[in-house]
Amino acid sequence: MAVPQDCKYTQTHEWFKVEGNTITVGISRFAADELTDITYVELPEIGSEVTAGEDFGEIESVKATSGLFCAVSGKVIAANERLADEPELVNDDPFGEGWMIKIECTDLSPLEKLLDAAAYEKMIAE
Amino acid sequence: MLQTPLINFHRDSGARLVDFAGWEMPVYYEGLIKEHNYTRQHATFFDVSHMGRVEFRGDGAADLLEKLNTRRIGNMQVGQCRYSHMCREDGGILDDVIVSRLEDCFLVVCNASNREKLLGWWDRQKIGFDVTIEDKTMKTGMIAVQGPEAMETMDRFLPIDLGDLKRYHCATGRAYGADYVIARSGYTGEDGFEVIMPAHLAPTALNMLISQSAEFGRPIKPAGLGARDSLRTEAGMPLYGHELSEDWDSITAGQGWCVHLDKNFIGKETLQRVKDEGPSKTLVGFEVDSKRTPRQDAPVVNNGEQVGVITSGLASPTLGKVIAMGFVPPALSKLGTTVEIDLGRTRLPAIVVPLPFYKKPKK
């Protein structure tokens, strides 16, 4: 399964896309497919702080509830409000309209430990 | 992992396969909600070959099954099926099963996760009874066809008249040189049937079902275990490991209707006591005022204190709201009672509502 080359990935299937100091976060198509029909996404409030190594929110599907893992620390500067009424955007377009939050981040170093696209593709192929 | 006779169909259809009770089973094919809705509106089929199918044969079969089952078995007529529980002396539920009386034997259909345990239990309990117990699970396949169009569509293709088959009744027949059993039953809250056939014929039977229903213009589509779970939850049907467990009894689980205390069976004394004294907790339905779904083991809270626990929760595709089942003290089980469900970071307001959540519309 091909994934966008310009993102970094966690073992738990979140993607992180860096543009300057802003990092956009979502989950991969593999994860969205695994979860099946997504019914609810709990996101942090704009202005709140998220911490590397902790959950920034929760995602619910018909089947299960899972945590959303944050790989970086920073301030939430945007949250995808459309997901409140259209959580299925995560299933339909996980790398695009199904994005979750944007974080303003000063320390990008934790991203170095994440998987690049090739390594992530290899992981989900196994 | 064990595989059903229909594993190739699942793989070829691109189903997402998981380990379910040791079986490689499809969770969904195209999408859980799609399959759920198609079942409610049209008809789907489910591979339920993973479920245990065990024959009880011999002069002592009826007596042994009477001893094993909470529900009366001895007065069953040939062609009848009964939902029942089996439990231990202390009332702990071993499984929920469907017992069918065939011409020459009784057929017990049990949960895949409990089959090995039950085979051992039955082996110990059968001493002194003239009975042979034969596990036919691996030799047979089982397909459930469910939905408002199930009976009408399939009536055109099956050699028996489905219209004559009453709910919770079964018929046997021979086709292509093999015996099959067909029962008007299911686990979705819809009309439909379940058919058991020799394993080697199951793929052919399925192909016929798919192609002929499509030719008829009423395609019957595949649905996976995901939709099976969401459909049964809407229908308020208990699932072993959720609403049913060895840790409590059938009356507590809200299934007292299948407990016959005017006959003898293993666990009767305990169940009589539960009935006389009243259960300490009881299973209820909740409607949750939130978009969030409570899951199994989420605490039910009243006045800040945990009073119960959730067993199943679902963002109901049919009803468009969040529903759940769970245990509360009898004092909090009245319809309209409000409680909270603890999701860790947040608490959801919930109200006790009648079960089932969904009833199929009357024709």
Side-chain angles (χ1 to χ4, degrees):
Chain A
M1 199 184 290
V3 300
Q5 298 297 306
D6 56 354
C7 294
K8 292 282 215 165
Y9 297 86
T10 61
Q11 305 262 353
T12 50
H13 311 288
E14 290 85 2
W15 55 261
F16 295 79
K17 185 176 173 182
V18 183
E19 288 159 301
N21 284 337
T22 302
I23 298 177
T24 308
V25 188
I27 63 166
S28 72
R29 178 167 300 285
F30 178 84
D33 286 354
E34 277 292 311
L35 287 165
T36 73
D37 301 286
I38 291 159
T39 57
Y40 184 84
V41 186
E42 172 89 1
L43 297 177
E45 282 176 24
I46 294 169
S48 65
E49 297 283 331
V50 289
T51 308
E54 291 182 6
D55 284 352
F56 68 83
E58 285 183 299
I59 187 161
E60 297 186 350
S61 71
V62 191
K63 267 167 56 189
T65 302
S66 320
L68 294 164
F69 180 82
C70 202
V72 293
S73 298
K75 188 170 156 188
V76 178
I77 54 169
N80 189 349
E81 290 173 5
R82 288 181 66 194
L83 298 185
D85 292 319
E86 300 170 88
E88 62 274 15
L89 286 174
V90 181
N91 289 114
D92 297 342
D93 190 10
F95 293 108
E97 293 192 339
W99 67 276
M100 292 174 180
I101 57 170
K102 291 181 192 291
I103 306 168
E104 192 179 66
C105 183
T106 48
D107 178 14
L108 298 176
S109 63
L111 292 178
E112 289 164 20
K113 284 180 276 179
L114 300 190
L115 303 168
D116 62 18
Y120 180 70
E121 279 175 20
K122 189 162 171 260
M123 187 189 93
I124 59 177
E126 279 165 6
Chain B
M1 249 189 296
L2 300 172
Q3 287 159 348
T4 80
L6 301 175
I7 184 68
N8 288 333
F9 171 80
H10 305 321
R11 287 192 178 138
D12 295 347
S13 315
R16 187 154 297 263
L17 295 163
V18 293
D19 178 347
F20 181 83
W23 292 79
E24 192 172 5
M25 296 298 291
V27 189
Y28 68 91
Y29 300 81
E30 276 192 73
L32 196 161
I33 293 177
K34 229 184 227 182
E35 293 160 22
H36 178 109
N37 290 336
Y38 200 81
T39 311
R40 290 270 181 259
Q41 288 154 14
H42 304 283
T44 55
F45 64 84
F46 300 80
D47 179 8
V48 286
S49 304
H50 62 303
M51 299 194 75
R53 293 170 291 284
V54 182
E55 288 179 357
F56 287 62
R57 210 174 279 278
D59 289 343
D63 288 343
L64 174 61
L65 286 166
E66 195 73 277
K67 172 182 156 184
L68 293 170
N69 279 283
T70 57
R71 194 160 176 201
R72 189 181 316 289
I73 300 299
N75 64 352
M76 282 177 71
Q77 304 291 314
V78 172
Q80 265 190 304
C81 315
R82 272 185 196 165
Y83 175 85
S84 173
H85 286 185
M86 297 196 186
C87 64
R88 302 185 304 215
E89 288 289 353
D90 68 357
I93 303 165
L94 289 166
D95 202 6
D96 62 337
V97 298
I98 289 187
V99 181
S100 300
R101 182 159 191 188
L102 309 181
E103 296 254 343
D104 56 347
C105 68
F106 287 89
L107 171 69
V108 175
V109 175
C110 66
N111 279 298
S113 53
N114 289 327
R115 181 172 59 97
E116 297 283 351
K117 173 183 81 176
L118 288 177
L119 287 168
W121 171 252
W122 296 333
D123 213 40
R124 294 193 294 280
Q125 299 301 331
K126 76 173 184 189
I127 295 163
F129 290 86
D130 176 15
V131 63
T132 316
I133 298 174
E134 192 184 355
D135 180 9
K136 305 281 258 190
T137 309
M138 299 302 171
K139 292 180 187 158
T140 54
M142 184 167 173
I143 301 172
V145 184
Q146 302 280 297
E149 294 175 3
M151 299 305 283
E152 193 197 329
T153 304
M154 292 315 293
D155 204 16
R156 303 185 158 243
F157 314 118
L158 290 176
I160 65 161
D161 191 350
L162 285 182
D164 291 345
L165 195 61
K166 286 187 276 185
R167 188 93 184 132
Y168 277 97
H169 281 70
C170 63
T172 53
R174 269 182 89 74
Y176 306 100
D179 295 317
Y180 65 88
V181 180
I182 184 164
R184 192 162 181 179
S185 52
Y187 193 49
T188 59
E190 298 298 330
D191 198 358
F193 60 88
E194 298 172 290
V195 59
I196 297 169
M197 69 213 90
H200 69 277
L201 283 180
T204 314
L206 187 64
N207 281 338
M208 285 174 60
L209 183 155
I210 294 168
S211 62
Q212 297 190 346
S213 65
E215 270 171 42
F216 177 50
R218 298 267 188 91
I220 297 178
K221 295 183 179 177
L225 291 181
R228 189 168 156 81
D229 186 43
S230 56
L231 289 158
R232 72 92 196 167
T233 302
E234 286 184 348
M237 291 168 150
L239 172 61
Y240 199 87
H242 288 254
E243 287 72 34
L244 311 178
S245 156
E246 285 184 25
D247 296 336
W248 53 83
D249 64 88
S250 306
I251 293 174
T252 299
Q255 310 299 314
W257 63 274
C258 72
V259 177
H260 285 161
L261 289 167
D262 54 349
K263 65 143 195 163
N264 284 319
F265 61 92
I266 299 170
K268 180 188 170 178
E269 286 72 24
T270 310
L271 283 160
Q272 183 70 58
R273 196 164 61 241
V274 173
K275 190 180 180 225
D276 293 346
E277 295 171 4
S280 59
K281 58 179 182 179
T282 184
L283 189 77
V284 295
F286 296 107
E287 210 172 286
V288 183
D289 186 15
S290 169
K291 288 184 178 174
R292 302 213 54 180
T293 310
R295 309 288 174 183
Q296 182 170 31
D297 297 332
V300 178
V301 175
N302 185 46
N303 293 332
E305 269 182 59
Q306 180 172 357
V307 291
V309 69
I310 293 297
T311 53
S312 297
L314 174 72
S316 164
T318 310
L319 306 170
K321 49 194 172 194
V322 175
I323 56 174
M325 289 188 269
F327 286 108
V328 292
L332 293 171
S333 67
K334 276 203 197 77
L335 298 182
T337 306
T338 55
V339 294
E340 286 182 307
I341 301 169
D342 189 352
L343 257 56
R345 294 183 189 190
T346 173
R347 282 186 181 171
L348 315 178
I351 179 167
V352 176
V353 297
L355 290 171
F357 304 102
Y358 166 85
K359 268 188 204 160
K360 71 174 191 300
K362 292 216 167 63
K363 278 183 185 170

